[in-house]
Amino acid sequence: MARADTLARARTLDRPELAYLMRFPTADGVRDLELTWAELARDTEWATARLREHGLAAGQRALLTASGFEGFWGHAVIGALRALKVPYGIAEAMGWDHRRTAVFHRELTPHAVIGLSAETLEGLAGMTDIGEMFRSTPVVLARPTAVPVLRGVGVTASVISAVGPALALECPERSGAHVNGAEWRFGERDGQLTVAAGEGRTSPLPETPLGITGRVVVSRCGCGSDNPRVLLAEAN
């Protein structure tokens, strides 16, 4: 049977509602949370809108650095890139794969690099000038600990991070990383972030301390969004 026929047959099969079992760290240990296909679709739609705000469009190229265990948000970002018709390459976010990041960056000349980690930057710093490498990249979305390193060498980097079960993504205003207020309820207690599931999420999640130092800003962003923003201490 041809691959196209196999895929067509597969699409007719019943699919369970459950897409992922998310496992994320909290202040009190690891927590599991179910993620349905419907929730993943909404998360992908939200991520698509955020990447569109950064100017990503059809025909541009992107480099994503992510690890397999980050599938619950990596899948949403990949879905967003596909929705925007942006071809992408993927490198592991761990430092040992920094050479793949260098090769993809050289060969793809990406419009956007998404998910850069401090470990990747440390590996790259041993072989190239990371400021020279990324200053010409129009969109650089990096993890919190990588952002100060990049900004220190003149790269205009924005924050992208998993914050508990949610994805936080900074807009071009760079005044905090937006979270999806329709899906999650973020707060702060004693300088630490908390999160609770919104009414539309399948798995219940009461207010949960995340053990992440930061603040929540609820005022309207300069980009016009009313989504809450988290200011992560590691990114400063």
Side-chain angles (χ1 to χ4, degrees):
M1 182 180 292
R3 182 172 183 271
D5 294 335
T6 302
L7 292 175
R9 177 75 67 84
R11 282 193 289 268
T12 67
L13 300 175
D14 292 334
R15 184 172 67 174
E17 292 185 7
L18 182 63
Y20 278 96
L21 182 64
M22 296 190 290
R23 174 161 286 188
F24 61 94
T26 73
D28 301 318
V30 176
R31 178 75 182 246
D32 291 335
L33 201 66
E34 292 183 350
L35 174 67
T36 68
W37 290 107
E39 290 166 342
L40 180 57
R42 297 199 301 270
D43 293 343
T44 299
E45 184 178 0
W46 185 85
T48 302
R50 302 290 77 74
L51 294 183
R52 187 179 288 116
E53 290 171 350
H54 280 279
L56 268 72
Q60 296 169 344
R61 295 182 293 272
L63 168 60
L64 172 64
T65 62
S67 298
F69 66 88
E70 298 174 315
F72 71 92
W73 72 259
H75 196 118
V77 172
I78 288 173
L81 293 173
R82 289 175 175 172
L84 293 168
K85 295 180 170 48
V86 175
Y88 59 91
I90 300 179
E92 170 62 55
M94 301 297 183
W96 50 260
D97 203 30
H98 66 274
R99 292 185 183 277
R100 193 202 307 255
T101 296
V103 170
F104 273 138
H105 192 271
R106 183 182 67 244
E107 298 298 328
L108 288 175
T109 316
H111 182 85
V113 176
I114 303 170
L116 274 177
S117 68
E119 292 80 8
T120 296
L121 294 179
E122 183 178 358
L124 291 172
M127 57 183 290
T128 188
D129 182 326
I130 60 174
E132 183 177 346
M133 181 175 181
F134 293 112
R135 275 194 293 268
S136 60
T137 304
V139 179
V140 177
L141 300 174
R143 297 157 194 267
T145 53
V147 167
V149 178
L150 289 164
R151 291 178 179 173
V153 293
V155 178
T156 307
S158 300
V159 175
I160 186 170
S161 180
V163 186
L167 176 65
L169 206 163
E170 198 167 30
C171 74
E173 292 289 323
R174 297 178 185 86
S175 57
H178 289 274
V179 290
N180 189 346
E183 301 288 333
W184 306 104
R185 305 285 181 263
F186 274 87
E188 55 184 272
R189 186 193 306 167
D190 300 326
Q192 304 281 314
L193 297 181
T194 65
V195 66
E199 294 180 0
R201 305 301 288 197
T202 299
S203 287
L205 181 69
E207 184 180 275
T208 301
L210 292 175
I212 298 173
T213 302
R215 295 192 298 113
V216 179
V217 179
V218 296
S219 58
R220 173 170 287 192
C221 179
C223 71
S225 172
D226 289 319
N227 272 311
R229 286 164 283 147
V230 293
L231 304 177
L232 304 173
E234 287 183 315
N236 297 312

